[in-house]
Amino acid sequence: MTALSIQDGLSAQLMQRMTDADPEIRRIALMDLADSEDEDLIVPLLIEALQDVDANVRAEAAAALEGYESEAVVTALIGVLTDSDPQVGANAALSLGELKDASLGGVLLNALDASSGYAKAAIFRALKELKVAGSLEPALAAIADADADVRQAAVGVLGYLKDPRALASLSKVATQDADSEVRRIAVGALGFAPALAVVFPALADAMNDESWQVREEAVMTLGKLRAENAVPQLIAAMQDSYWQVRIKAARSLGRLRSRAALPALCEALVHPVSNLRKEAAVALGEVGDPAALPALEKALEDPDPDVRKLAKLAMTQIAR
C-alpha cells in the first residue's frame, strides 16, 4: 500500500498526530490507529513506528502488533527484541508469543543472551506459551538471575515444560529463593512430579514458609499430588493463621478423603469465614464418613444459604 493510499484511508488529523513533534501525542495516535480494523492500512504504520526515536512510541507499536501474523510483522518484531529500551523488547517478545508459533522459539532463545531484566523475563514468558523444549537449559540457568522477575518467568517455563530434570532445581528455589512470589510459583510447578518422594521435603518445608501465599500453594500442590502421607501436615494447616490457607487445606483433605481430618473439617464448619465453612462442607461430603453427620446437621442452620446447600449435599453424599 502506498503512502498516498494510507493517507486517503486515515483522517488528516490522525496522520498529523502520528508525525507530531511531541512523542506522547504520537504514542496516543498509535493507540487510536490500533482501533482500526483495516490490517492493510495500519500494519505498515505500526511497523514504521517501531523505528521511532522515542522508546515509549516504539513500545506502544510493539504491543499494538500483537496478533498480526504476517511475515513483515514477525520480522519487524524480531528486529526490536534487543531494543536499547527493555520495554520495547518485552512488548515485542510478548506479541511474538501470542502468535503461538513454535518455530519462533529459536529466535526468542537467541535473543536471551542480549537481553536482561524486564525484556528477558518477557522472552521467557513467550517461551512458556510456546513450550519450546530448548528453553529448559536457559530457564534452569535463569533461576539464579539477580532479577526476581526473570526468575519468576524462568520458573514458569520449567513448570510448563514438566521435565523431571528440573525438579531438583525447582525444589531448591521453592524453599530458598529470596522472593516469596518466586518461591510460590516454584512450589506450584512441583505439582507435575511423577513421584511424590522427590518433592515432598520441599513441599513440607514450604508449608512452614513465612509467606501465606507460599503455604497456600504448598497445600494445593500436595492435594494435586494425592499426597496421602501429607495428611498430618494438611490437618495442621487447618489451624493456619490465614483462612485462605485453611480453605486450600480443606480442599486437599477432601481430595484425599481423609477420615483423620474429620475433627478439623467439622471445626471449620463454624469458622467465621463463610468460604471456609463452604469448603469444609464440600470436603466432608467427599470424605463420606457418617461421623460428620451431626456437624453437617448443625450446618443446615447456617446463616449463609450456600453453606446450608453444601451441607445438605454433603449429607446426601454420605448417605449413598
Side-chain angles (χ1 to χ4, degrees):
M1 177 172 288
T2 66
L4 182 60
S5 60
I6 290 176
Q7 291 178 10
D8 288 342
L10 294 173
S11 70
Q13 183 184 33
L14 181 56
M15 287 299 297
Q16 183 177 4
R17 288 165 55 208
M18 290 181 64
T19 57
D20 194 278
D22 187 335
E24 184 61 13
I25 291 177
R26 299 199 301 275
R27 188 186 70 82
I28 295 173
L30 285 181
M31 296 171 64
D32 293 339
L33 176 68
D35 290 336
S36 171
E37 297 181 356
D38 190 337
E39 181 175 337
D40 291 336
L41 185 68
I42 67 174
V43 166
L45 292 172
L46 291 173
I47 291 176
E48 182 179 349
L50 288 175
Q51 305 304 317
D52 195 280
V53 295
D54 186 81
N56 289 329
V57 176
R58 300 197 301 275
E60 190 66 49
L65 284 168
E66 175 185 295
Y68 293 110
E69 301 180 5
S70 72
E71 183 177 345
V73 168
V74 171
T75 301
L77 288 172
I78 290 172
V80 295
L81 275 175
T82 55
D83 190 276
S84 58
D85 186 278
Q87 185 66 60
V88 179
N91 287 0
L94 294 174
S95 289
L96 288 169
E98 286 298 314
L99 296 177
K100 303 294 189 294
D101 184 351
S103 67
L104 295 172
V107 172
L108 291 167
L109 287 170
N110 289 336
L112 279 174
D113 291 338
S115 303
S116 61
Y118 189 72
K120 190 172 186 178
I123 290 174
F124 274 120
R125 292 189 179 99
L127 287 167
K128 181 182 78 169
E129 294 297 322
L130 299 177
K131 296 185 180 179
V132 178
S135 59
L136 176 66
E137 293 301 327
L140 285 171
I143 59 177
D145 196 278
D147 190 312
D149 196 41
V150 173
R151 299 199 303 277
Q152 288 181 30
V155 168
V157 168
L158 296 174
Y160 263 61
L161 289 178
K162 295 181 171 55
D163 192 315
R165 290 174 293 177
L167 288 173
S169 295
L170 286 171
S171 294
K172 184 176 180 180
V173 172
T175 56
Q176 298 182 21
D177 196 277
D179 186 271
S180 63
E181 183 62 10
V182 177
R183 297 196 302 275
R184 186 194 68 79
I185 297 172
V187 166
L190 292 175
F192 73 82
L196 175 65
V198 178
V199 298
F200 183 73
L203 292 174
D205 284 349
M207 290 184 69
N208 296 311
D209 196 278
E210 64 183 7
S211 166
W212 70 263
Q213 291 94 338
V214 176
R215 300 196 300 274
E216 179 187 38
E217 195 74 40
V219 297
M220 285 195 297
T221 302
L222 286 167
K224 292 174 184 176
L225 289 170
R226 307 287 179 178
E228 293 183 5
N229 57 334
V231 165
Q233 288 92 337
L234 291 170
I235 292 175
M238 291 296 296
Q239 302 301 319
D240 194 277
S241 55
Y242 280 80
W243 59 266
Q244 295 92 333
V245 178
R246 296 188 186 195
I247 282 179
K248 298 306 189 298
R251 187 172 300 175
S252 291
L253 288 166
R255 280 186 172 187
L256 293 169
R257 294 183 170 84
S258 171
R259 283 182 162 80
L262 279 178
L265 292 172
C266 289
E267 181 182 346
L269 274 178
V270 295
H271 191 276
V273 175
S274 63
N275 282 343
L276 178 53
R277 301 199 301 275
K278 295 173 194 176
E279 202 66 55
V282 172
L284 287 168
E286 291 179 324
V287 172
D289 193 321
L293 289 173
L296 288 168
E297 287 175 359
K298 290 183 180 179
L300 294 178
E301 301 175 0
D302 193 279
D304 188 315
D306 288 335
V307 175
R308 298 196 298 271
K309 179 174 67 175
L310 291 171
K312 185 176 182 179
L313 177 61
M315 294 175 71
T316 301
Q317 290 176 280
I318 293 172
R320 289 175 184 169

mmCIF file of all heavy atoms in Angstrom, residues 75-96:
data_model
loop_
_atom_site.group_PDB
_atom_site.id
_atom_site.type_symbol
_atom_site.label_atom_id
_atom_site.label_comp_id
_atom_site.label_asym_id
_atom_site.label_seq_id
_atom_site.Cartn_x
_atom_site.Cartn_y
_atom_site.Cartn_z
ATOM 1 N N THR A 75 9.015 -10.298 11.254
ATOM 2 C CA THR A 75 10.371 -9.803 11.000
ATOM 3 C C THR A 75 10.644 -8.508 11.764
ATOM 4 O O THR A 75 11.708 -8.330 12.361
ATOM 5 C CB THR A 75 10.584 -9.569 9.496
ATOM 6 O OG1 THR A 75 10.372 -10.801 8.793
ATOM 7 C CG2 THR A 75 11.990 -9.065 9.216
ATOM 8 N N ALA A 76 9.662 -7.609 11.743
ATOM 9 C CA ALA A 76 9.830 -6.329 12.425
ATOM 10 C C ALA A 76 9.943 -6.506 13.938
ATOM 11 O O ALA A 76 10.768 -5.862 14.587
ATOM 12 C CB ALA A 76 8.664 -5.413 12.084
ATOM 13 N N LEU A 77 9.121 -7.380 14.502
ATOM 14 C CA LEU A 77 9.165 -7.608 15.944
ATOM 15 C C LEU A 77 10.479 -8.273 16.353
ATOM 16 O O LEU A 77 11.064 -7.937 17.393
ATOM 17 C CB LEU A 77 7.973 -8.468 16.379
ATOM 18 C CG LEU A 77 6.612 -7.778 16.355
ATOM 19 C CD1 LEU A 77 5.494 -8.775 16.622
ATOM 20 C CD2 LEU A 77 6.556 -6.644 17.378
ATOM 21 N N ILE A 78 10.938 -9.208 15.550
ATOM 22 C CA ILE A 78 12.225 -9.839 15.834
ATOM 23 C C ILE A 78 13.336 -8.785 15.851
ATOM 24 O O ILE A 78 14.250 -8.826 16.682
ATOM 25 C CB ILE A 78 12.537 -10.935 14.789
ATOM 26 C CG1 ILE A 78 11.593 -12.126 14.988
ATOM 27 C CG2 ILE A 78 13.992 -11.391 14.894
ATOM 28 C CD1 ILE A 78 11.682 -13.171 13.886
ATOM 29 N N GLY A 79 13.216 -7.824 14.962
ATOM 30 C CA GLY A 79 14.239 -6.787 14.862
ATOM 31 C C GLY A 79 14.365 -5.909 16.088
ATOM 32 O O GLY A 79 15.412 -5.284 16.300
ATOM 33 N N VAL A 80 13.311 -5.835 16.914
ATOM 34 C CA VAL A 80 13.381 -4.974 18.100
ATOM 35 C C VAL A 80 13.406 -5.775 19.406
ATOM 36 O O VAL A 80 13.275 -5.197 20.488
ATOM 37 C CB VAL A 80 12.206 -3.966 18.132
ATOM 38 C CG1 VAL A 80 12.309 -3.004 16.960
ATOM 39 C CG2 VAL A 80 10.853 -4.672 18.139
ATOM 40 N N LEU A 81 13.595 -7.077 19.315
ATOM 41 C CA LEU A 81 13.673 -7.890 20.529
ATOM 42 C C LEU A 81 14.785 -7.412 21.453
ATOM 43 O O LEU A 81 14.675 -7.498 22.680
ATOM 44 C CB LEU A 81 13.901 -9.366 20.175
ATOM 45 C CG LEU A 81 12.673 -10.210 19.853
ATOM 46 C CD1 LEU A 81 13.097 -11.601 19.418
ATOM 47 C CD2 LEU A 81 11.733 -10.286 21.050
ATOM 48 N N THR A 82 15.868 -6.956 20.859
ATOM 49 C CA THR A 82 17.004 -6.496 21.661
ATOM 50 C C THR A 82 17.132 -4.972 21.615
ATOM 51 O O THR A 82 18.240 -4.426 21.646
ATOM 52 C CB THR A 82 18.304 -7.161 21.177
ATOM 53 O OG1 THR A 82 18.454 -6.912 19.767
ATOM 54 C CG2 THR A 82 18.261 -8.653 21.415
ATOM 55 N N ASP A 83 16.008 -4.303 21.522
ATOM 56 C CA ASP A 83 15.988 -2.846 21.518
ATOM 57 C C ASP A 83 16.720 -2.296 22.745
ATOM 58 O O ASP A 83 16.779 -2.953 23.799
ATOM 59 C CB ASP A 83 14.536 -2.356 21.518
ATOM 60 C CG ASP A 83 14.408 -0.865 21.275
ATOM 61 O OD1 ASP A 83 14.526 -0.088 22.250
ATOM 62 O OD2 ASP A 83 14.202 -0.478 20.111
ATOM 63 N N SER A 84 17.265 -1.111 22.618
ATOM 64 C CA SER A 84 18.002 -0.497 23.734
ATOM 65 C C SER A 84 17.099 -0.252 24.948
ATOM 66 O O SER A 84 17.579 -0.174 26.076
ATOM 67 C CB SER A 84 18.637 0.824 23.285
ATOM 68 O OG SER A 84 17.639 1.722 22.804
ATOM 69 N N ASP A 85 15.810 -0.156 24.699
ATOM 70 C CA ASP A 85 14.860 0.014 25.803
ATOM 71 C C ASP A 85 14.215 -1.338 26.112
ATOM 72 O O ASP A 85 13.610 -1.958 25.235
ATOM 73 C CB ASP A 85 13.778 1.032 25.429
ATOM 74 C CG ASP A 85 12.871 1.347 26.607
ATOM 75 O OD1 ASP A 85 11.937 0.562 26.853
ATOM 76 O OD2 ASP A 85 13.101 2.373 27.272
ATOM 77 N N PRO A 86 14.326 -1.820 27.341
ATOM 78 C CA PRO A 86 13.801 -3.154 27.666
ATOM 79 C C PRO A 86 12.300 -3.303 27.473
ATOM 80 O O PRO A 86 11.813 -4.391 27.175
ATOM 81 C CB PRO A 86 14.192 -3.336 29.140
ATOM 82 C CG PRO A 86 14.445 -1.967 29.660
ATOM 83 C CD PRO A 86 14.968 -1.195 28.499
ATOM 84 N N GLN A 87 11.533 -2.227 27.641
ATOM 85 C CA GLN A 87 10.088 -2.322 27.467
ATOM 86 C C GLN A 87 9.726 -2.639 26.018
ATOM 87 O O GLN A 87 8.772 -3.374 25.754
ATOM 88 C CB GLN A 87 9.416 -1.019 27.899
ATOM 89 C CG GLN A 87 7.894 -1.061 27.872
ATOM 90 C CD GLN A 87 7.320 -2.018 28.892
ATOM 91 O OE1 GLN A 87 7.543 -1.851 30.086
ATOM 92 N NE2 GLN A 87 6.577 -3.015 28.448
ATOM 93 N N VAL A 88 10.488 -2.090 25.090
ATOM 94 C CA VAL A 88 10.244 -2.368 23.672
ATOM 95 C C VAL A 88 10.479 -3.848 23.393
ATOM 96 O O VAL A 88 9.641 -4.527 22.780
ATOM 97 C CB VAL A 88 11.147 -1.503 22.768
ATOM 98 C CG1 VAL A 88 10.887 -1.833 21.294
ATOM 99 C CG2 VAL A 88 10.903 -0.024 23.022
ATOM 100 N N GLY A 89 11.615 -4.356 23.837
ATOM 101 C CA GLY A 89 11.912 -5.770 23.633
ATOM 102 C C GLY A 89 10.910 -6.673 24.317
ATOM 103 O O GLY A 89 10.524 -7.714 23.782
ATOM 104 N N ALA A 90 10.477 -6.274 25.509
ATOM 105 C CA ALA A 90 9.499 -7.072 26.243
ATOM 106 C C ALA A 90 8.178 -7.149 25.489
ATOM 107 O O ALA A 90 7.589 -8.225 25.331
ATOM 108 C CB ALA A 90 9.280 -6.477 27.635
ATOM 109 N N ASN A 91 7.697 -6.007 25.009
ATOM 110 C CA ASN A 91 6.432 -5.991 24.268
ATOM 111 C C ASN A 91 6.533 -6.786 22.976
ATOM 112 O O ASN A 91 5.593 -7.475 22.571
ATOM 113 C CB ASN A 91 6.011 -4.556 23.969
ATOM 114 C CG ASN A 91 5.507 -3.828 25.199
ATOM 115 O OD1 ASN A 91 5.477 -4.395 26.293
ATOM 116 N ND2 ASN A 91 5.126 -2.579 25.038
ATOM 117 N N ALA A 92 7.688 -6.704 22.318
ATOM 118 C CA ALA A 92 7.890 -7.475 21.087
ATOM 119 C C ALA A 92 7.850 -8.967 21.382
ATOM 120 O O ALA A 92 7.232 -9.751 20.642
ATOM 121 C CB ALA A 92 9.217 -7.091 20.443
ATOM 122 N N ALA A 93 8.503 -9.375 22.456
ATOM 123 C CA ALA A 93 8.514 -10.798 22.823
ATOM 124 C C ALA A 93 7.115 -11.296 23.129
ATOM 125 O O ALA A 93 6.714 -12.387 22.694
ATOM 126 C CB ALA A 93 9.431 -11.010 24.032
ATOM 127 N N LEU A 94 6.355 -10.508 23.875
ATOM 128 C CA LEU A 94 5.001 -10.922 24.229
ATOM 129 C C LEU A 94 4.102 -11.004 22.988
ATOM 130 O O LEU A 94 3.270 -11.905 22.874
ATOM 131 C CB LEU A 94 4.418 -9.959 25.258
ATOM 132 C CG LEU A 94 5.112 -9.968 26.631
ATOM 133 C CD1 LEU A 94 4.558 -8.877 27.529
ATOM 134 C CD2 LEU A 94 4.960 -11.329 27.295
ATOM 135 N N SER A 95 4.284 -10.073 22.064
ATOM 136 C CA SER A 95 3.491 -10.105 20.828
ATOM 137 C C SER A 95 3.837 -11.335 19.998
ATOM 138 O O SER A 95 2.955 -11.977 19.416
ATOM 139 C CB SER A 95 3.729 -8.826 20.013
ATOM 140 O OG SER A 95 3.134 -7.711 20.656
ATOM 141 N N LEU A 96 5.111 -11.676 19.956
ATOM 142 C CA LEU A 96 5.525 -12.878 19.224
ATOM 143 C C LEU A 96 4.985 -14.139 19.902
ATOM 144 O O LEU A 96 4.555 -15.081 19.232
ATOM 145 C CB LEU A 96 7.053 -12.946 19.133
ATOM 146 C CG LEU A 96 7.708 -11.933 18.180
ATOM 147 C CD1 LEU A 96 9.223 -11.922 18.382
ATOM 148 C CD2 LEU A 96 7.380 -12.267 16.727
#
